[in-house]
Amino acid sequence: MKKHWYDNLWVLSLTYLVLGFFNILFAWLGLLCFFIPLIISLAKGNKGYCNRYCGRGQLFGLLGGRFGLSRKRDIPAWMKSKAFRYGFLAFFLIMFCQMLWSTWLVFSGAQDLRQVVTLLWTFKLPWHWAYHGTVLHPGAAQFAFGFYSVMLTSTVLGFVTMVLFKPRSWCVYCPMGTMTQLICKAKQKKP
Amino acid sequence: MDALVRKRRRAFVEERDCVACGCCMKICPKTAISIWHGIAAKVDPETCVGCGKCARECPASVIEIREVTV
Ligand code: SF4
Ligand code: SF4
Ligand code: SF4
């Protein structure tokens, strides 16, 4: 097991989560974890992002592995079933669109900026301390709150399954992982 | 009696359930695993020594170590 520079990208993932507590606008950077895997899978037809660069996966691997915060049990069969993985991806995408919709509402002036981070699509946590105004439109801040909610929610879910099952259990049902694998499969079908 | 039959242990991936995360590839001390086109893990049977590290690491638990005769 040779060490590579990209084995330390978990530092960026951790920094990202911390920055969101200080200034929510940093949440925009999270788009990188969205576009890079998609671009890699679309352009090269592999899961290079998961296999090498994903800092979130590394973070779970580190906390659950080296720091021992995982029971290291097998994940239940239903969680690795295609039905659950694809279902979770669909649910995730629907919630993502809903987030884009509320961003649009703020941009269009139909709704005021809500300074909350929504955890697990349900719990609204006050997050006003991380918002110091913006020279941009409030809609840009709304997107930041929304995107950070997505990132925090997936981290919390990943953390729980890391503790219960194997360290990187999140990777089994991670929507980005599922989506990039689907893209690779589609590319393989029609070369 | 079966002194001529050598037994070896090797990793086998249930490819249908593999999520191609690459955790196994990262941990393998022999670099015997690659992720085939982002779809599933493939073990090189010549290189694998059956140590079982990948099986323990795999978050989906889809790797099995089996005995094979060579
Ligand atoms: S499955 Fe998700 S968390 Fe795991 S390595 Fe891929 S993108 Fe990262
Ligand atoms: S760790 Fe398991 S699920 Fe991930 S690529 Fe290897 S065999 Fe597949
Ligand atoms: S059993 Fe050991 S040598 Fe074989 S693929 Fe797994 S980690 Fe590599």
Side-chain angles (χ1 to χ4, degrees):
Chain A
M1 273 194 310
K2 208 166 138 267
K3 275 274 169 200
H4 302 275
W5 63 269
Y6 50 73
D7 290 330
N8 296 313
L9 288 173
W10 59 271
V11 177
L12 290 186
S13 296
L14 193 60
T15 312
Y16 176 84
L17 289 171
V18 173
L19 283 176
F21 280 83
F22 293 99
N23 192 329
I24 196 68
L25 292 175
F26 281 113
W28 274 86
L29 290 174
L31 279 177
L32 290 173
C33 319
F34 208 76
F35 283 113
I36 296 175
L38 290 179
I39 290 169
I40 293 182
S41 62
L42 283 169
K44 301 181 79 179
N46 65 36
K47 287 210 355 168
Y49 184 78
C50 292
N51 300 166
R52 292 212 169 96
Y53 310 117
C54 178
R56 167 187 302 257
Q58 291 170 11
L59 192 61
F60 289 138
L62 203 65
L63 291 175
R66 184 106 42 96
F67 288 86
L69 295 176
S70 170
R71 298 196 309 160
K72 302 203 172 129
R73 300 283 169 83
D74 289 346
I75 199 165
W78 61 268
M79 276 187 102
K80 56 183 173 188
S81 68
K82 294 238 174 1
F84 178 72
R85 290 179 61 216
Y86 295 161
F88 188 69
L89 171 63
F91 171 74
F92 189 89
L93 289 177
I94 292 168
M95 296 319 270
F96 198 82
C97 290
Q98 201 204 37
M99 185 269 281
L100 292 178
W101 173 245
S102 43
T103 302
W104 162 247
L105 287 181
V106 173
F107 263 114
S108 66
Q111 206 174 71
D112 288 333
L113 173 65
R114 294 196 187 138
Q115 299 176 34
V116 290
V117 162
T118 314
L119 197 61
L120 299 167
W121 306 281
T122 317
F123 308 106
K124 303 216 183 302
L125 315 175
W127 213 267
H128 46 80
W129 68 78
Y131 182 59
H132 319 284
T134 169
V135 289
L136 309 165
H137 195 279
Q142 188 64 68
F143 179 79
F145 279 111
F147 204 86
Y148 193 74
S149 303
V150 171
M151 296 299 268
L152 199 66
T153 296
S154 49
T155 308
V156 167
L157 280 179
F159 195 87
V160 171
T161 47
M162 171 195 83
V163 172
L164 290 178
F165 313 117
K166 290 204 185 164
R168 283 180 60 159
S169 297
W170 167 253
C171 294
V172 174
Y173 62 103
C174 166
M176 289 317 293
T178 308
M179 198 152 41
T180 48
Q181 192 188 24
L182 280 176
I183 292 172
C184 292
K185 281 184 177 167
K187 273 190 82 105
Q188 206 51 34
K189 280 225 177 83
K190 56 168 185 61
Chain B
M1 283 309 268
D2 52 5
L4 289 174
V5 184
R6 274 175 51 229
K7 288 230 162 110
R8 282 188 55 185
R9 287 153 69 79
R10 257 183 221 153
F12 288 87
V13 179
E14 177 54 81
E15 287 173 23
R16 225 165 27 97
D17 294 329
C18 172
V19 300
C21 60
C23 303
C24 52
M25 177 175 77
K26 270 193 185 157
I27 199 93
C28 177
K30 294 283 178 190
T31 48
I33 306 186
S34 54
I35 307 298
W36 188 78
H37 294 284
I39 296 175
K42 280 245 182 323
V43 180
D44 174 8
E46 299 301 315
T47 329
C48 173
V49 293
C51 67
K53 283 196 170 167
C54 54
R56 245 173 287 137
E57 192 76 1
C58 175
S61 304
V62 296
I63 306 182
E64 208 182 36
I65 306 295
R66 287 189 215 138
E67 235 166 40
V68 289
T69 41
V70 275

